[in-house]
Amino acid sequence: MSGAAPAGGNTVKERADLALNNDFLRKAVRFTTERLRTGKEKAAEDHGNWDEWRERGRQIRLHTIAHLDYYLNLFANNARANGVHVHFAETAAEAVRISLDIAKHVEARSVVKSKSMVTEELHLNTALESIGVEAIETDLGEYIIQLAGETPSHIIIPAIHKNRYQIAELLSVDAGETLAPDTQILAGFVRRKLREKFLEADIGMTGCNFAIAETGSMVLFENEGNARMVTTVPKTQITLMGMERIIPSFADLEVMATLLPRSATGQKLTVYMSGISGPRRSADADGPEEMHIIIVDNGRSLQLGDPEFQELLNCIRCGACLNACPVYRHIGGHAYGGTYSGPIGAVLTPALKKNVAEWDDIANASSLCGACYEACPVKIPLHEMLVYLRRRKLEAGRGDKLEALGMKGFAKVMRSSKRFKAVLKLGQLGQKLVVRDGGISLKVGPLKGWNTYRVAPSLAGQSFREKWPTMEQEIRNGLKEMDPALKSRMEAIVRDRENGGGGKGGHGHHG
Amino acid sequence: MAKSEQHQAWLDGLDAQSRAKQGGFIDGISAKLRRSRPVEPPAHPFRGAPDFWNAFEWPLEERITRFMDNFKAVGGHPVRLADMEAVKSFIAGKASEMSAKYIIRQNQPELNELGLEAALPDAKISVWNSDPNEHWKARAAEADFGVVVADYAAAYTGSITVLSSKDKGRSVSLLPTVLMAIIPAERLHTRLGQVLVNFDRIGRENLPAGIHFISGPSRSADIENDLTIGVHGPGVVYAIIVG
């Protein structure tokens, strides 16, 4: 059942309400994201020159995507020369059809899978089950949520929303005996159970972290060893890869291997990093005899040539933006309603589906604070993309009428200081009707959404602009009394700021 | 043979379809990028790690210390021994301490000369792929110890690199309960890039099917962030540096 739409609620707001009411989920998400976020920050600091590495990572991804036609073609030719059967799928349906065709021809009864977001995107497990093939997730967290019939709520820790008692209950049903809610016992059961599954499975199915164009190799990062199992034991291997997973060379892999594990979990390297270049050689005694790589578009190419969204294809799926996002930390992954959650999901889901209309409300599940950009190891400006998405939604006439009016009205008011003054005065008078204890908690009109969870501050009796002449006066007087050397130094700083670097606003990532 | 001929015919059909589709698929990307497909390799000025990083190197003693610190930090067991004679006694000692009955090892010259068989007369020691009729994956799955000699190692990340071949099974470093990885000191580099560059250098035609970097015991934090060791791969990993 994995791949089914999350239960409860059609909009992010409804699903988030469910999440907000679930106290355990909120605590677990906060705890885990906090641990991953601080782990990442420490790993980046220990490694040093983090911004230079991010910039290098960004340049490699930008270069590869800008020449994706060249590199993808090269990869396909080299993988084929390695003995891989390469397939191209424009749509999810096509990728599913090819996968099922292979499963039928090798007469598969079971498929063991290592973590793959692309197969989540395709709802491939459900499709395999529909032709009577058992699909078994083998990553510990993925196995747990598959038993629960749910979808991953975090890209790195998929079962983040389950506690050990819930997990013990699920695994006890699976085991046919009561298992104690002890991590070692539970993990030990899964190890034994899945050992059998690995050894009897006909197909091993994987995702792909990176594909190396110059050698036709596919690369997997993991900690448990299940991806190695899946690519070592079964006779047939099927790898599903997003068409943008390419990097040119093994030399470039060093940069990705430096950025990805540190950003995902704060590790210097995941326990296993494997480069697979084709099926087993004829004299080898293990590894798959037959290997397929299915290259999937499924909406990715829609981003190519789009100046606002092409950089989305640079994403290396580390999850750092989820851990940094105050909204994700509050509502958890299922509230986003798509395969990908958090800031990347908020942009990627509508981008891949090209139906901004249906998914538009997830762009609002963000406070546009820019923490996602700061966390991103390849510097994708996600917070700006969220604004583009909101703008496109308004342009398509599908926006919140008040927001549209608000954006127009805001522009009109801000264009004239006289009008701004007048509006402010009106507000200062008008709010007298609704202010209680220095705040406004009235839940009507434009304040409804905001005030459901907090109290809007009342407008100050004297606005900043009204205060400014006095403040400016005070500062100037202060300067007069200042030590002349200090004053000239400060003036020099102000001059410098005006000459260079000014007006870049915040992050300066366009530079 | 009828079935396998049929299967081959189906695979050939798939490959013909794939080749036919490739041109259009790639041209579609070129069209989106609003230019024709480049025939020459594009200039890639940012290939690999930054220059300051490529100049970075620790002396041998520091490489060994750093490797051991990193390996220990992730729950692995690093040891440093003087020579292969000491390695033999160490592995034999651990085998009797943990009552290891089944041992599988790679068919590598260093291990053929090691003489583990004589040192452990009571254990059943199998040599990977030494008999074509044996079910080697099952032999590896039942083994208490897997013994390998690393092809490379990198100190900065505490990683061991093993390459597959007919004599070096991927299963030997994966399926046994305990992994014993022997690292000759001269194969220990500072950076990951010093290992990776070899694969670009030898080129596609000479790559093994499997290249595996191993940086500690198998682990998971999927249940309530509680660290579990030995989920699918070996839970006990010895990195034995020699020299």
Side-chain angles (χ1 to χ4, degrees):
Chain A
M1 284 300 288
S2 81
N10 290 319
T11 65
V12 171
K13 199 172 161 300
E14 282 169 39
R15 290 187 297 263
D17 282 344
L18 286 179
L20 289 171
N21 289 333
N22 185 340
D23 202 38
F24 173 79
L25 170 70
R26 197 163 60 223
K27 278 190 203 139
V29 171
R30 269 200 199 147
F31 178 81
T32 311
T33 52
E34 190 60 23
R35 188 179 63 89
L36 293 173
R37 193 176 64 84
T38 51
K40 183 227 161 198
E41 278 168 8
K42 185 175 181 304
E45 199 186 302
D46 287 352
H47 183 54
N49 300 305
W50 190 244
D51 277 331
E52 282 180 61
W53 283 96
R54 285 175 82 208
E55 182 57 24
R56 181 56 64 122
R58 174 172 172 268
Q59 292 297 346
I60 291 171
R61 293 299 294 149
L62 280 175
H63 169 81
T64 315
I65 300 301
H67 302 94
L68 188 62
D69 44 356
Y70 175 82
Y71 285 115
L72 187 62
N73 193 56
L74 185 65
F75 171 77
N77 291 344
N78 281 326
R80 205 180 273 130
N82 287 335
V84 176
H85 303 283
V86 179
H87 312 273
F88 296 91
E90 264 146 36
T91 61
E94 222 177 326
V96 170
R97 185 187 57 72
I98 297 167
S99 309
L100 297 189
D101 188 35
I102 298 166
K104 280 179 195 159
H105 274 87
V106 302
E107 294 168 13
R109 281 158 304 157
S110 65
V111 174
V112 279
K113 292 182 64 200
S114 65
K115 193 191 195 74
S116 154
M117 293 307 284
V118 174
T119 62
E120 292 283 344
E121 218 177 292
L122 307 177
H123 301 176
L124 195 52
N125 292 5
T126 323
L128 284 164
E129 271 150 31
S130 76
I131 60 160
V133 178
E134 188 190 9
I136 305 142
E137 295 289 350
T138 62
D139 172 275
L140 180 57
E142 299 267 354
Y143 184 69
I144 291 164
I145 57 163
Q146 189 184 23
L147 285 178
E150 294 173 9
T151 52
S153 60
H154 188 284
I155 191 165
I156 303 297
I157 312 222
I160 189 173
H161 58 289
K162 291 250 174 282
N163 67 32
R164 74 180 68 198
Y165 301 96
Q166 295 168 310
I167 294 168
E169 225 168 89
L170 284 166
L171 293 177
S172 295
V173 174
D174 191 37
E177 57 173 314
T178 307
L179 300 174
D182 174 280
T183 313
Q184 291 299 329
I185 291 172
L186 299 174
F189 163 73
V190 174
R191 177 184 168 97
R192 282 191 306 280
K193 168 107 191 199
L194 289 182
R195 268 294 162 110
E196 289 166 30
K197 298 286 185 189
F198 285 124
L199 291 166
E200 66 192 24
D202 307 288
I203 294 177
M205 188 173 274
T206 78
C208 172
N209 290 105
F210 298 102
I212 299 178
E214 291 175 9
T215 60
S217 315
M218 48 88 60
V219 181
L220 293 169
F221 287 75
E222 50 138 359
N223 283 319
E224 294 182 10
N226 60 314
R228 283 194 67 194
M229 290 283 187
V230 160
T231 55
T232 301
V233 184
K235 269 174 77 172
T236 303
Q237 178 184 331
I238 304 178
T239 291
L240 286 120
M241 86 174 229
M243 62 184 252
E244 82 289 11
R245 295 291 96 207
I246 304 275
I247 51 173
S249 64
F250 273 102
D252 296 309
L253 181 62
E254 184 184 13
V255 179
M256 300 304 146
T258 299
L259 295 170
L260 176 59
R262 285 182 176 82
S263 301
T265 54
Q267 289 172 281
K268 288 182 176 168
L269 189 60
T270 48
V271 174
Y272 301 108
M273 176 176 82
S274 304
I276 316 275
S277 310
R280 72 162 70 171
R281 304 300 182 249
S282 55
D284 291 358
D286 60 0
E289 287 168 23
E290 190 178 304
M291 180 170 168
H292 298 265
I293 295 182
I294 305 174
I295 298 169
V296 181
D297 181 337
N298 195 29
R300 286 166 173 76
S301 62
L302 295 171
Q303 279 35 265
L304 284 171
D306 182 331
E308 289 174 345
F309 291 101
Q310 182 165 314
E311 279 188 62
L312 263 185
L313 299 173
N314 296 357
C315 175
I316 60 171
R317 307 284 192 267
C318 69
C321 60
L322 279 63
N323 304 327
C325 178
V327 177
Y328 177 89
R329 284 145 66 97
H330 208 60
I331 66 179
H334 285 154
Y336 291 82
T339 302
Y340 303 94
S341 56
I344 183 67
V347 186
L348 196 59
T349 305
L352 291 180
K353 303 230 171 193
K354 210 193 177 181
N355 56 350
V356 176
E358 190 184 321
W359 288 96
D360 55 10
D361 71 326
I362 63 179
N364 293 335
S366 155
S367 61
L368 304 178
C369 71
C372 44
Y373 166 74
E374 295 292 340
C376 179
V378 291
K379 299 164 80 168
I380 302 172
L382 284 167
H383 59 308
E384 292 184 2
M385 292 181 178
L386 284 161
V387 176
Y388 301 148
L389 210 60
R390 288 189 191 185
R391 194 202 65 228
R392 287 190 189 188
K393 166 184 154 188
L394 289 177
E395 284 168 358
R398 298 207 38 117
D400 181 332
K401 287 217 178 68
L402 266 169
E403 190 180 354
L405 210 66
M407 277 204 183
K408 259 186 223 158
F410 185 70
K412 198 164 189 176
V413 169
M414 293 315 277
R415 238 176 279 135
S416 142
S417 64
K418 214 183 247 171
R419 216 177 271 148
F420 180 67
K421 236 186 259 168
V423 168
L424 204 61
K425 207 82 223 160
L426 249 155
Q428 280 164 352
L429 291 173
Q431 70 173 350
K432 290 203 168 131
L433 301 169
V434 291
V435 173
R436 301 278 180 279
D437 303 324
I440 304 171
S441 50
L442 195 68
K443 298 177 183 67
V444 294
L447 292 176
K448 185 165 181 284
W450 178 266
N451 281 356
T452 304
Y453 301 106
R454 45 187 107 54
V455 174
S458 58
L459 294 172
Q462 224 189 347
S463 76
F464 180 76
R465 275 174 161 260
E466 284 165 346
K467 273 187 197 159
W468 174 241
T470 333
M471 285 163 72
E472 200 187 14
Q473 203 63 48
E474 281 167 13
I475 293 165
R476 280 181 194 281
N477 286 338
L479 278 180
K480 269 182 210 155
E481 290 155 19
M482 203 180 264
D483 171 51
L486 183 65
K487 186 185 169 193
S488 70
R489 207 158 61 233
M490 287 187 72
E491 282 169 351
I493 291 169
V494 171
R495 260 198 318 278
D496 271 4
R497 200 183 296 150
E498 279 165 0
N499 293 338
K504 263 202 169 174
H507 313 304
H509 53 271
H510 292 302
Chain B
M1 285 330 277
K3 198 194 151 270
S4 80
E5 270 170 39
Q6 221 178 7
H7 190 77
Q8 193 54 52
W10 165 72
L11 283 175
D12 293 344
L14 282 183
D15 283 342
Q17 279 173 33
S18 158
R19 281 170 206 272
K21 185 150 191 194
Q22 185 168 340
F25 194 93
I26 302 291
D27 285 344
I29 296 174
S30 309
K32 287 264 166 53
L33 292 168
R34 295 191 200 92
R35 52 164 178 67
S36 57
R37 195 200 305 181
V39 277
E40 292 297 313
H44 180 14
F46 301 102
R47 189 182 171 101
D51 290 341
F52 74 85
W53 184 248
N54 292 331
F56 163 58
E57 177 120 36
W58 282 322
L60 179 65
E61 281 306 313
E62 186 165 10
R63 292 206 288 277
I64 293 174
T65 315
R66 299 282 193 147
F67 178 93
M68 292 178 72
D69 289 348
N70 281 327
F71 210 73
K72 200 173 199 161
V74 295
H77 306 282
V79 283
R80 185 182 182 183
L81 299 172
D83 52 34
M84 290 304 274
E85 198 50 38
V87 172
K88 179 170 73 177
S89 329
F90 180 81
I91 296 177
K94 286 291 164 195
S96 54
E97 185 187 319
M98 299 187 212
S99 356
K101 294 278 178 298
Y102 296 92
I103 295 175
I104 189 159
R105 67 168 178 87
Q106 306 288 35
N107 192 0
Q108 288 171 289
E110 299 92 332
L111 296 177
N112 295 341
E113 285 160 23
L114 192 60
L116 261 189
E117 288 78 0
L120 285 165
D122 296 334
K124 183 177 183 278
I125 301 180
S126 3
V127 181
W128 181 259
N129 209 9
S130 54
D131 173 356
N133 299 314
E134 188 60 83
H135 189 344
W136 287 105
K137 284 182 276 195
R139 292 290 77 77
E142 75 185 9
D144 302 310
F145 280 17
V147 184
V148 308
V149 180
D151 292 275
Y152 305 99
Y156 190 78
T157 54
S159 311
I160 301 162
T161 314
V162 291
L163 312 181
S164 72
S165 77
K166 73 173 173 46
D167 297 319
K168 297 187 286 181
R170 285 142 84 164
S171 306
V172 179
S173 61
L174 178 65
L175 298 176
T177 312
V178 178
L179 171 62
M180 295 271 172
I182 301 164
I183 306 162
E186 69 276 10
R187 295 187 191 178
L188 174 59
H189 299 271
T190 304
R191 292 169 281 114
L192 213 52
Q194 290 170 294
V195 179
L196 290 167
V197 72
N198 294 293
F199 309 133
D200 284 329
R201 197 178 293 141
I202 63 172
R204 185 196 66 71
E205 297 86 346
N206 301 306
L207 287 182
I211 299 170
H212 301 282
F213 289 78
I214 303 169
S215 311
S218 153
R219 62 142 98 209
S220 173
D222 277 353
I223 301 176
E224 285 193 0
N225 298 292
D226 191 7
L227 186 64
T228 317
I229 296 291
V231 187
H232 294 299
V236 180
V237 182
Y238 284 93
I240 306 167
I241 300 173
V242 189

